[in-house]
Amino acid sequence: MTHSIFTQLVQLGNRKDPVTGSVSSPIHLSTTFAHPGLGQSTGYDYSRTKNPTRDTLEEGLAILEGGVQAIVTSSGMSALQLVFQLFKPGAVIFVSRDLYGGSFRYFDHLEELGLASFAYFDTEEELADLVVAYDKVDGIFIETPTNPLMREVDIVSIAKVSKEAQALLIVDNTLLTPLRQKPLDLGADLVIHSGTKFLTGHNDILAGVVVAKTAELGEKLYWLSNTTGPTLSPFDCWLFIRSLKTLAVRFDRQEATARELVNWLEDEDRIQSTLYAGQGAMISIRLASEEFVGPFLEALKVFTYAESLGGVESLITYPTTQTHADIPEDLRESYGLTPDLLRLSIGLEDPKDLIQDIKAALDAVEG
Ligand SMILES: *Cc1c(COP(=O)(O)O)cnc(C)c1O
């Protein structure tokens, strides 16, 4: 009988070492492994290719996303780069408009090098128009909910479009995690994560994840990762394993607190609008005026003004000058990423303290 995902996460790495019976996963720092004899291998040769601690983590992540093969990398961006090595020069990629600024910057770079062309869509109608306008499409890349506007993109209907066009569908599942959304079950071919965010959740390691739905894609990515070397270090793999054990309890609590905050924010007249996808722990708010942003950030005492998200410490980010600064201003504002918008990542503090913190900062700024 296979156990529930929560049980599997908690048990990740336990009883892997029959010699010592170690309950916490062993950390194999060795970069190289002795061969029993000529033409023989323990299954491990060199750590760029395969490492036991990384194996344990990758097995857990593949189960979590419901894929065949997971690959962990040194950051979310290196996960994205690994996936884009699947495409040949001249590839055409359609992308959901509101997305992480670093992904936008990378796509812009690939376009400048002449390696791929990117076309952006906001709605399913716009995607349908792109399919008509281009004579081919090789990949579709989406984030849902979008970041920072928290709009939902329907994976099932995008997957239909991508199947018909024979394009690879790649979903960045950083914001909801597989606890709330499993893109591979909904028709996606590949899932990527910034493992830096909810999956590890303590604002203390950088990591990336790619999970493939099929063995064929998994093998290609595994070959590419061995060839180009973006893999995560054994110690960071161990920290990642340890973090996954508490993922479900962290996420449930962070989401419950986010809901409490959303209820409070929606009744607060000094907040112009509250953007929330209905699940998860990310909220964006618009202040009554762009001028309040600086003083508001300075008045907060519990929320930390910093970029990133998903950790146990609540953070507040100003996308305009931080995460999304590389998207040209006109473009940003044209789709609603306006300079009065702030993004909150809800952590594990007491919800009352978080509400009180925002209230006190609004009092200080707007009176
Ligand atoms: C942070 C982030 C990334 C990039 O990941 P890094 O770990 O910072 O390299 C990609 N996508 C989303 C949605 C993110 O939030």
Side-chain angles (χ1 to χ4, degrees):
M1 194 193 95
T2 49
H3 296 121
S4 105
I5 188 81
F6 307 112
T7 305
Q8 294 187 60
L9 283 180
V10 168
Q11 293 278 343
L12 198 57
N14 187 6
R15 282 181 275 208
K16 275 265 169 171
D17 181 12
V19 177
T20 62
S22 160
V23 171
S24 169
S25 171
I27 309 174
H28 293 271
L29 291 174
S30 190
T31 51
T32 188
F33 299 86
H35 302 303
L38 187 65
Q40 294 176 356
S41 167
T42 58
Y44 297 98
D45 305 317
Y46 186 64
S47 272
R48 171 162 32 74
T49 317
K50 202 168 156 65
N51 172 284
T53 311
R54 204 167 67 232
D55 270 0
T56 300
L57 173 58
E58 288 175 344
E59 281 162 24
L61 289 165
I63 293 169
L64 192 57
E65 279 287 6
V68 167
Q69 166 93 52
I71 290 168
V72 285
T73 62
S74 57
S75 70
M77 290 319 296
S78 66
L80 199 70
Q81 197 183 4
L82 182 67
V83 163
F84 273 80
Q85 287 169 19
L86 290 169
F87 297 107
K88 295 203 168 68
V92 173
I93 318 286
F94 297 160
V95 184
S96 58
R97 166 60 75 195
D98 177 31
L99 87 159
Y100 176 62
S103 304
F104 178 87
R105 178 174 58 203
Y106 176 57
F107 297 160
D108 209 35
H109 171 67
L110 289 178
E111 195 150 74
E112 249 172 46
L113 292 175
L115 291 176
S117 336
F118 293 83
Y120 292 83
F121 62 92
D122 259 324
T123 59
E124 284 169 40
E125 293 72 44
E126 285 177 21
L127 175 62
D129 291 346
L130 287 181
V131 173
V132 175
Y134 284 77
D135 50 359
K136 68 150 186 172
V137 50
D138 301 286
I140 302 181
F141 181 91
I142 60 173
E143 265 180 46
T144 178
T146 66
N147 169 17
L149 298 177
M150 308 300 158
R151 292 179 187 148
E152 282 172 288
V153 181
D154 181 5
I155 298 177
V156 173
S157 64
I158 308 272
K160 274 196 200 116
V161 176
S162 105
K163 287 258 145 33
E164 266 165 40
Q166 292 180 301
L168 275 185
L169 177 58
I170 306 152
V171 178
D172 182 336
N173 202 22
T174 300
L175 262 60
L176 284 187
T177 84
L179 297 176
R180 294 293 178 277
Q181 169 171 281
K182 293 177 85 174
L184 299 179
D185 289 351
L186 302 174
D189 300 292
L190 293 165
V191 172
I192 68 150
H193 280 272
S194 168
T196 315
K197 314 295 167 56
F198 288 103
L199 294 184
T200 59
H202 288 71
N203 291 319
D204 57 8
I205 65 165
L206 274 177
V209 179
V210 183
V211 187
K213 184 174 176 120
T214 64
E216 192 195 345
L217 279 172
E219 276 158 27
K220 274 190 197 161
L221 287 164
Y222 177 70
W223 184 89
L224 281 169
S225 78
N226 183 41
T227 301
T228 63
T231 42
L232 193 65
S233 79
F235 187 72
D236 284 350
C237 287
W238 178 81
L239 272 175
F240 201 149
I241 292 168
R242 194 181 71 161
S243 302
L244 284 179
K245 291 168 187 263
T246 57
L247 172 65
V249 278
R250 282 187 281 112
F251 201 86
D252 285 353
R253 171 73 184 268
Q254 285 172 266
E255 180 178 69
T257 303
R259 290 203 165 117
E260 226 177 298
L261 245 80
V262 167
N263 286 337
W264 180 83
L265 287 162
E266 282 174 344
D267 285 340
E268 171 56 64
D269 295 338
R270 293 171 296 180
I271 300 290
Q272 205 191 108
S273 57
T274 304
L275 312 177
Y276 182 61
Q279 53 182 346
M282 298 299 298
I283 306 167
S284 290
I285 53 174
R286 287 202 171 89
L287 298 183
S289 159
E290 178 186 344
E291 285 155 38
F292 296 143
V293 167
F296 180 77
L297 289 172
E298 281 163 34
L300 291 167
K301 301 218 159 45
V302 181
F303 279 93
T304 301
Y305 169 41
E307 49 199 281
S308 200
L309 61 97
V312 296
E313 300 89 358
S314 292
L315 302 183
I316 184 162
T317 302
Y318 187 41
T320 295
T321 62
Q322 294 182 297
T323 48
H324 292 67
D326 280 306
I327 303 175
E329 183 178 347
D330 288 355
L331 182 58
R332 264 190 262 129
E333 297 196 9
S334 73
Y335 68 82
L337 206 180
T338 48
D340 52 2
L341 186 124
L342 288 162
R343 192 188 72 187
L344 311 176
S345 170
I346 307 306
L348 288 181
E349 300 88 349
D350 191 315
K352 286 190 219 71
D353 290 331
L354 294 174
I355 289 172
Q356 182 51 36
D357 197 37
I358 295 178
K359 187 171 178 303
L362 287 171
D363 289 347
V365 172
E366 295 190 45

